Amino acid sequence: MKDKIIAKSEQLFTNLGFKSVTMDDIASELGISKKTIYQYFETKTKLVEATASFKFNCINKSINSIFKQDINPIDEIFEMKHFILTHLNDERPSAQYQFKKYYPKIFTVLKQKQFNVMKECISGNLDRGIKAGLYRSSVNIDFISRMYFNFLVSIKDHELFPQELFTPQDLLNNFLDYHLRGICSEKGLEYLKTNHKTIKNN
């Protein structure tokens, strides 16, 4: 039952917002009493923390599966793009806003966990790309991995990137064009032109 409560809560929080969804709403959706939920979670904050951890673990598992495929580092970045796009399409801006505003401590802890995972994955990608001759040997791995994560955070900022001007697909395509052209060697750029048509070939 605990897992069912977490899964349903995560779905409701993501679609409707962390502040908007009440314990009564969750109980009603599950067809159980609110008292049953409180048997597992003392407060709504505890439930939000559990759902945030649940979602992080799911995302972390998917990301790790991409970086364990042992494929071309450039192809790996495009696999990440497809995953991020799917993830963004599942999120509601209002839900993220409420999560950050009403549960700042949980939000901060989760952001740090996300940073640690992404930094490790992108650092590994950069290292493999340099060794394969696809990325420039002068690339600063620590700096670029931090910039990559910073973009993933910024892409959700709809004041910076208004939805009426930028679709998630446009944002990711333009970012990859910017990111890869900044780190690729001549060999890497040639691979891009041949294998990934979404990158501008001029």
Side-chain angles (χ1 to χ4, degrees), residues 40-70:
Y40 297 97
F41 304 99
E42 296 177 2
T43 63
K44 182 181 176 182
T45 299
K46 291 289 186 182
L47 178 56
V48 168
E49 187 175 22
T51 58
S53 180
F54 167 77
K55 189 166 187 177
F56 168 78
N57 289 333
C58 291
I59 293 173
N60 187 30
K61 184 177 179 180
S62 297
I63 290 174
N64 283 330
S65 68
I66 292 172
F67 286 94
K68 287 180 179 178
Q69 292 181 62
D70 193 29

Side-chain angles (χ1 to χ4, degrees), residues 96-134:
Q96 286 300 304
Y97 172 79
Q98 289 183 18
F99 181 36
K100 184 177 181 179
K101 180 177 181 179
Y102 296 106
Y103 301 95
K105 290 183 179 180
I106 300 173
F107 177 85
T108 300
V109 170
L110 183 64
K111 183 179 177 180
Q112 184 61 50
K113 287 182 178 180
Q114 291 171 336
F115 170 74
N116 292 338
V117 169
M118 190 55 65
K119 187 174 186 299
E120 181 180 354
C121 290
I122 295 302
S123 294
N125 175 274
L126 291 167
D127 183 60
R128 290 191 301 277
I130 291 170
K131 289 177 179 176
L134 296 167

Side-chain angles (χ1 to χ4, degrees), residues 80-81 84-89 91 93 96 147-163 166-176:
M80 269 298 296
K81 169 201 161 183
I84 293 168
L85 186 58
T86 300
H87 179 57
L88 284 174
N89 287 335
E91 286 192 348
Q96 286 300 304
M147 287 296 293
Y148 189 97
F149 178 78
N150 189 58
F151 169 77
L152 295 186
V153 173
S154 299
I155 197 175
K156 299 177 183 180
D157 185 340
H158 295 292
E159 291 184 0
L160 185 61
F161 296 112
Q163 288 179 298
F166 302 97
T167 67
Q169 182 82 43
D170 290 336
L171 283 172
L172 286 167
N173 283 342
N174 280 295
F175 170 66
L176 284 195

Side-chain angles (χ1 to χ4, degrees), residues 175-194:
F175 170 66
L176 284 195
D177 190 59
Y178 175 83
H179 174 70
L180 290 170
R181 286 188 181 278
I183 65 174
C184 277
S185 63
E186 289 298 321
K187 178 182 176 180
L189 289 173
E190 189 59 38
Y191 186 86
L192 271 177
K193 292 176 183 179
T194 303

Side-chain angles (χ1 to χ4, degrees), residues 1 4-6 8-9 12-13 21-39 41 44 47:
M1 178 55 71
K4 288 183 178 180
I5 293 172
I6 291 173
K8 177 56 68 174
S9 299
L12 291 172
F13 289 148
V21 175
T22 67
M23 298 294 255
D24 284 314
D25 294 329
I26 297 167
S28 177
E29 284 287 326
L30 288 167
I32 60 176
S33 67
K34 188 165 60 172
K35 183 178 179 181
T36 301
I37 298 177
Y38 283 117
Q39 288 177 355
F41 304 99
K44 182 181 176 182
L47 178 56

